[in-house]
Every structure is written in structure tokens, then in C-alpha cells.
Amino acid sequence: MSESRDFADILKASEPFVRRQIEKTGELVTADLIDSVLRKVEMIDPELFENVDREAVIDEMIRRSSHGIGKNASLVAEDGHEPWLNADRKKGWRYWRRYSEYMEEKLPWKALDALDKSTDEVLGNLEDPLRPGNWDRRGLVVGHVQSGKTGNYTGLICKAADAGYKIIIVLAGLHNNLRAQTQIRLDEGFLGYATLVNVDHLPLVGVGELDKDKSQQPNCATNRSDKGDFDTATSRKLNVKPEERPWLFVVKKQKNVLERLVYWLENHAADAVDPDTGRRIVSALPALVIDDESDHGSVDTGEVPIGDDGQPDLEHSPTVLNGLIRRVLHTFSRKAYVGYTATPFANIFIHERSATAEHGPDLFPSAFIISLGAPTNYIGPGRVFGSASSVPEDLPLARRLDDDEHMEWMPPTHKNGWSPRIGGERVLPRALQEAIRSFVFACAVRKVRGQGHRHSSMLIHVSRFTSVQGEIVAQVEEFIRHMARRYDRNIDLTNLDALMRSDFETRFHPEMARVRDAFPDVPQGEDVTWSEVRAVLPFLLQDIEVRGINGSAKDALDYAENDKKGLKVIAIGGDKLARGLTLEGLCTSYFMRTTKMYDTLMQMGRWFGYRDKYLDVCRLYTSGEMIQWFGHIADAAEELREEFDNMAAINATPRDFGLRVLSHHTLTVTSKAKMRSAKPVHLTYSGSLMQTVSFPIDEKHERNFETGSRFVASMGESRPLQDQHFLPEGQNWNGALWRNVPAIPIVAFLRSYQTHSKSYRVVPPMLADFIERMSATGELSNWTVALVGSAKGTEGAIGGTKVGMLERAAIGAHTDRYSIKTLISPRDQTIDLTQEQYEAALALTRETWRGDAERNEAKGPPDEPGGPAIRHVLGFGHAALGLQPDRKRGLLLLYLLDPDKSSCPALKGRDPALAWSLSFPGSPSKLRIRDADYMANSVLWEAMVDDVV
């Protein structure tokens, strides 16, 4: 028996013991635990261990059992749907079984279990392919950027084929490289053979090496070559029969390809005629359409297809790609559509009642929306850049590039043919040179750690013009060649080697330790010394290739062709790199291209994903402004997910869900064309938390402190903040509390306080107007005000009341303002809740808790209420607990920020910075904010038609 076979047998024999031990005791998976299990297995079958590296087995067992995964949340409409998926229907499934076995080597057990459950949930919300008659189910699956959506829909495809779906169409991006990359993944995960061209035999790959029965292999109408899309020759000869094995089509979202597919469906696959319209339709072959990156290319960006009466315009002409995708679906009498995206900002603006006679309904996810949880080892924007609910340290993962030298080399706005130069010289900016050295260090560290055969990539994304990218390729090639020659020949190496050693020991190596400390839940590699790195540099530098990415399929194929040795590549490109394409083993990114759209900017984040045992060597070089934008997008995405969770907790449907997206003064939600059915609306502050994070440092600083002093003094005597209605055991508070404060002084304070001009979301006059209007109706008329301090902080005072000041370090090198990441602590919104309110909010928090590390949620259920749940309970009560709403109560929290510990030189020796936050209970009130702050989809703005501006 071979070593690999013994290795697999040991894993298979040991897994049940480990799982039972974890479930029974809740123990963490450690080397000692695995070793104890292996000793038991060895007693049963000692021969298994004769030729196997025991440490390697332990490492693999830890990998498979160590990661958890967040819970999904779902909105489902059951109208016309017949539940069908049960254990009996899953008996004998072949495609899923072999895919599951294949993924065992790639995913931890919990992640594989979660994949099984989530794909069951999606499939179960589609229709039974064996159900007769006409049916149409459309849904949306929302994941995280680079979080494994392809793996999820590959599992869904396997199960759909097992269940009886005969035509499976995957819409795979706009470019050849992404289509080919998707084809390769599906060759490995579903087909089981490599769809090569001009070969006598198609080699088995992936699942095909586990199940060599070719009689059960699915058919495929496309291949992995550069010209492997659905072509004219294939369309002329392809004939599909209902009793055959399933057929897979992996196609681009491109006009000619989709027109060819529609023509084939109508003229070769159709077997019936619609009695009402005379259209040729496919009735014998149930179809599943998977739309990868469904917010890109698929959304109708034409004029609003809805008349003044609110009814769809049946003669509306959608945009070409949207119309063709809908025609593909409209050709089948039995069909299901599932869009996959990490940025649903465009999908939620699809009008949910748009339909035409020729194209059928639009792609609104009327059947379901499922939000996938992220695995604990996933690194996304929330963990890299932080959000309003998370304040990571200033990690070296993201390095600011506020660099005049870079701007000279590559201005933000430049024309095609621009020649990057510094002082007229053809040299790289120092920051890019450092980034390239970081990539070299990353490759070296990974090689020392035994990951040298894995792919390692660097991304340089600074221009959208191919000609400019070509010049960057030449300059980077020359830089790498210069390093490689010196290390290879040991000529003129002294200065370069000294620079490399100094950079590694004083910058890169200390940063590695900081990253490992900051992410204890992500598997980390062992420490590495300079001497170990230096030993591999001469050989490593010879392996680094520099590539321009132009959108051809070859860009995607290289990883597969170099799978044994591991590709070391610096990829230089523009828009072709912006969406969908996975850069395997991405370690270093130099990213300065800007866009003002939430979805495009987030999709450009190729650096998000999984970085087990090499996260500490990953670096992102970008501008301070981009870092702030990503932080804001993380907030916007989290607000969407919180809204989604609250709706899921009350079993709402997609139709009920009036989705909204937080606006930004510079960033737009998505392209204006995609928002054709979205309108600016007067949305309420109800259910929101507003907090000041940007403060003026001119004379307004003192005026704001004086305003706060007058306000605090006007409220009279306070009680200790510790003296609340309900205080959970062990909580201690520093500060003062006032109850039953009327709205008038709150409004007066807000009208007098002046935020910095860059504070676009927190606008005190708008907040004052809203409170004034709401209080006139009886809501927000009775306020709790708390001056919240820190017991460890230096004592300060305002309006005669003393409190420990908070320490909040400045972010960004601003000279005109003092900006902080976030102000309040999570528990601050629990101040002065009754016990019943506290417990109801805690119950709702646990209902909506997903255990999603990317959302900075703890591994275990929360033991304190979250802000969204508190605001929801105050606004709407909790029916299950018999709790009534309390919409009269608003919460104003005041804070003094220590000026001498602000890291803002302009505040040294001055008054404390007065910061505040407002927590508004939810409300069904029709009163709205005076100015539009959100973009709302058709469901929401139809419900608020009187408030549309």
C-alpha cells in the first residue's frame, strides 16, 4: 500500500473519533488531541502507520477541523413553491458525493458541512426539476469578495444535476480569462475531465480521479481554451435529449455568445410551442442558470421600465445583455435562476415587477435572498479596514501611499500613452520598489515554510490603459531582472543585499509578528529569520515572472499548468483584473486605480480571501483615501446585512424587504445606469446610530466645548452612570446620567454644535429637524443623556460634571481636522435599558447572530445586546416576550476625548474634544429626513411614494 493511500486511510479512520471528541467536550483542536486519537487508531490498525509521516497527518487533521463558518440568513417567498428536497431525494446522488470527497482535501470539516447545508438550502428553494408544468424560481446568493462563491455554486450544480436538472448554464463574467478560469474550476469540481481541445483523450481531473466511470460524466458544450465559448460550430451539431446526462454551458456575458445560445435553444432544443404567444420553448429539459457576478453585466441599465401607474411597460427594451439573459430563461417552461455576488448594490435596484412579453420578468430575486456566512479564516474588508463596529489596530496589512513621488510617476488622471517617469527618469517610485521587495520576501518566507510549490502572486493596478500597463511591465521586469542578476552572479551585490536585509529586519519582519498577533484565529506559519530568507533569494528571484493581464484565457490557465511547481507572478493590469478573476496566492497589492462606485471598488479588492499560514506576509499598498473609502463600504455592507438579519428574524420575503444602501458624499452606490429604478428618498433616522468621528480643530473646537458645557449645565443635577434601571452583574460605568430630558434642549444643542465640513453623514441641523418633527408626534420626546467616561482616563470636566476622558487616536494625516475611526463602545447603547428591554434585545441579538468573523462577530453567541437589536426592540418591542415599544426614548451619549492623547498636535493643551452619538429607536412613522441620504429600491420607494424627491 502506498504512503498516500495510507495517509488517506488514516485520515478517514481518525475523522469520526476527532469529530465525536469535539462535539462531546467542546475542546479546541490541538496537536495533543489529534495525537491521542491517532494512538487509538494505531492500536486498531498499526500497519497503517508504518510508512506515514505522523506530523503531516496531525497538521492535516488540524487544518480540516479547525475552522468554523458563520451562519446563513435567508429571506424566502413560498408562493407557488412546493417543498421537495428531503433525505429520500438525496439517496444515490453521485455528483455531490464525489465533489464532497474532492473538497475534503481543501475545506475544513465545518466548512464542508456548511457548504452542504447552504447548497441544500439554495436547491430546496428552487423547484423540483421533476415537477411537471410551468415554473420559474429566481434567487440571489450574497457572499463575501473572494470568499468561495465558485465553490458554493459548483456544489449547487452537482446537487442540481443529481436532482434532475438537465441544462446548466453558467454565466461567467465578461472576459475570456474569467470564463476560462470558471470552466477549469467546473472541470475539476463537476465534469471530472479537462475540457482540452485537439487531443485524443480528455484527461481525468478533480472529481474524475475519484470516480473514473466515464459513463456517468456530465456533458459539456464549452471548453477551457481561449476560444472555448459556445460557438457556431457547436451550436449547429449539438443535440440534447431529455434522458441524457446533464449538459453544462460555461459562457461569457457577451452579445454574440448569448444570441447564439438563444438561437440554439429556440431552434434546436425547443420541443413545444407556447399556446398563448406562439414562442418555441423547451419543455422537456429543466434548466438552471447560474449568474456569476450577477450585479455586473446582467442588470438592465436602460430607462425605467415602469409606467406612471406603477405597472411594467410590456414594450420596454432592456439593455442587450439583460435582455438576452432573460430570453434564455424565457425559452424554458421549467427554469431556475440563481445570481451570485458579493456586492448586491445593483441587484437590489432591479424593479421587482419589470417584465416584457419578449423577455419575461427581470432578474429580481423574488423567490429568495440568502446571505452566506464567512469562514473564520476569511480575511475581508471588515477585518482589514475595520468598520463602525470594529476598530482594528493600524495594521501593516494596509500601507498608505500618500506619496508625491507616485503621483509624479502615475497621476490619478492620465491619458492613453502616458509614460511613467520620475524626474524624467524611467524608474519606479520608492513605494513600488518597497512593495516588490515585500513580494520577494513573501515568496521567500513561503518557500522556507514549505509552501514554495504553492502559487504566489502580486497585483499592480494603477492604470486602465493597456499601453501604460505595457510600460509598467517593462519597468518592473527590469527591476526584477536587476535584482536576480546580482544575487545569481554575486556581482555588485553589497548595497542591494544590505538594503534587503535592513528592509526585512527593520520593517517586514516586525510587521509579520504584529499581523500574527492580531489574527489569532487564522492559521499562522512559523517565524522565519533573515538568514533563512537570504539562503533562498538567488533561486527564488529566477522564478518570478512579470505578466500583463489582457483578458485572454491564458491568464487563467497558467495557474493550472504550473500547479506542481507553483507560479510566482507579478500581474499588471487594469479593468480585466477588477472583477471575478482570482489571483492565486495573492500576497502583495499595489493599488491606486480609483472608482466612485461601491460595487466596482469592492470587487477590485482581489486581496480579500484566504491566507492560511501566510497572512503575515501579505501587504496592500494604497492611498489613505482608498482605505477610508473601503472602511465606509464595510459600514454600508454591514448595515445592509443588519437590515437583512432583522427581516430574516421575522420571516420576511424579498418582496417585503425594502433594501437600502447607505450613501456617501463621494462614492456612489453603483453606476447611475444600474440604479434606473432607484430614487433618492427621504429616509428616516429611526433605527439608526449616528456618531461624530471628524472634529474641527479651528475656533469651532472651543465653541463646541462651550456649547456642550451650557447643555450639560442646563440639565441640572445628574446621577452616577452606574445608577441605571438595570445593570448586569459585573458591569462598571464611569460618568453621569440624566433621565427624562425633553427634546427642546437636545435640539438646541444640535443646532449650536458644528461638525467639520467633511462630516457628510452626521449633519446636526438635519438631526435637530428630525427630532423636532418626531417629538411633535409624541416620539423622541423623552431623552436619556449620558456623559460616558473611562475609569482609566485622565479626569476632565464639562458643565461642572467630571468624567474620565477617552483616548482616541487620530487616523490620517489631516491638518484641518481631528478624525477617529469610531467613537462608541458596543455596550454603550445598553445604557439605562430596563431589564425587560435588555433581555429582549439580547434575545434578538442572538437570533440574528451569524458567528461571522468577517462581521467581527464572536465565535460564541453574544452575551450582550447589539445596537441594531436594541434600536429595533425600543421601536417595535418583542412580540414573543410580550414587550411593548418605547419610541419616546432617545439616547444621547456625550464623550470627552483627551486632547493630549489624541495624536493630533493641534489639540495639545486645549479643551477636550466633545464627541457625541445618537441612538434612535426604530419607528413605522412616515416622517422622514429633510434631505435624501439613501438610495432605495423599488420595493422601498413604492412604500414611501409620498416622500420621493
Side-chain angles (χ1 to χ4, degrees), residues 422-468:
I422 299 175
E425 298 293 323
R426 192 170 175 269
V427 294
L428 299 175
R430 285 187 294 269
L432 180 51
Q433 293 181 33
E434 179 189 302
I436 294 173
R437 289 197 300 272
S438 291
F439 177 61
V440 173
F441 293 148
C443 293
V445 169
R446 297 194 73 192
K447 187 173 183 66
V448 171
R449 287 175 174 172
Q451 294 182 325
H453 62 290
R454 304 284 180 87
H455 300 304
S456 293
S457 302
M458 177 178 179
L459 160 68
I460 299 176
H461 186 11
V462 295
S463 175
R464 66 186 179 90
F465 297 114
T466 303
S467 65
V468 181

Side-chain angles (χ1 to χ4, degrees), residues 22-38:
I22 295 171
E23 291 168 0
K24 180 180 178 180
T25 66
E27 288 184 59
L28 293 174
V29 179
T30 63
D32 288 342
L33 173 63
I34 300 295
D35 190 51
S36 67
V37 170
L38 293 181

Side-chain angles (χ1 to χ4, degrees), residues 4-18 34 37-38 41 48-49 52 56-64 104-105 109:
S4 61
R5 185 66 262 167
D6 285 348
F7 190 92
D9 287 343
I10 290 174
L11 293 173
K12 189 173 182 180
S14 305
E15 177 183 338
F17 291 100
V18 175
I34 300 295
V37 170
L38 293 181
V41 176
L48 279 177
F49 290 79
V52 172
V57 174
I58 292 174
D59 285 347
E60 177 62 12
M61 292 286 284
I62 289 176
R63 183 198 69 79
R64 293 192 182 190
E104 281 181 357
E105 297 182 3
W109 297 326

Side-chain angles (χ1 to χ4, degrees), residues 359-435:
H359 307 91
D362 208 338
L363 303 178
F364 182 80
S366 55
F368 61 86
I369 304 174
I370 295 175
S371 175
L372 299 178
T376 54
N377 62 328
Y378 172 72
I379 304 297
R383 305 185 81 183
V384 174
F385 301 104
S387 64
S389 60
S390 167
V391 197
E393 297 178 13
D394 188 15
L395 291 174
L397 285 174
R399 295 178 62 80
R400 298 175 187 271
L401 276 182
D402 299 316
D403 189 346
D404 292 338
E405 189 179 59
H406 171 89
M407 296 306 173
E408 179 185 353
W409 183 72
M410 190 67 61
T413 55
H414 57 271
K415 295 182 179 180
N416 195 7
W418 169 260
S419 297
R421 298 288 187 272
I422 299 175
E425 298 293 323
R426 192 170 175 269
V427 294
L428 299 175
R430 285 187 294 269
L432 180 51
Q433 293 181 33
E434 179 189 302

Side-chain angles (χ1 to χ4, degrees), residues 3 35 50 52 75 109 143 146 157 164 182 187 198 275 283 399 411 439 501 574 609 644 695 715 743 874 892 895:
E3 178 176 342
D35 190 51
E50 290 179 357
V52 172
L75 301 179
W109 297 326
Q146 296 285 291
I157 287 170
T182 304
D187 286 0
N198 301 321
S283 66
R399 295 178 62 80
F439 177 61
R501 177 170 186 167
F644 189 92
F695 310 93
M715 289 188 292
L874 289 174
L892 170 60
Y895 303 83

Side-chain angles (χ1 to χ4, degrees), residues 24 30 158 165 214 218 236 419 433 460 486 491 494 526 535-536 543 586 591 601 616 645 690 697 703:
K24 180 180 178 180
T30 63
C158 291
Y165 279 91
K214 294 185 178 181
R236 287 173 177 168
S419 297
Q433 293 181 33
I460 299 176
R486 275 156 178 72
I491 299 174
T494 303
E526 65 275 9
V536 301
D543 290 338
L586 182 60
F591 180 84
L601 185 57
D616 57 345
D645 289 343
M690 311 300 293
I697 55 178
R703 288 207 297 266

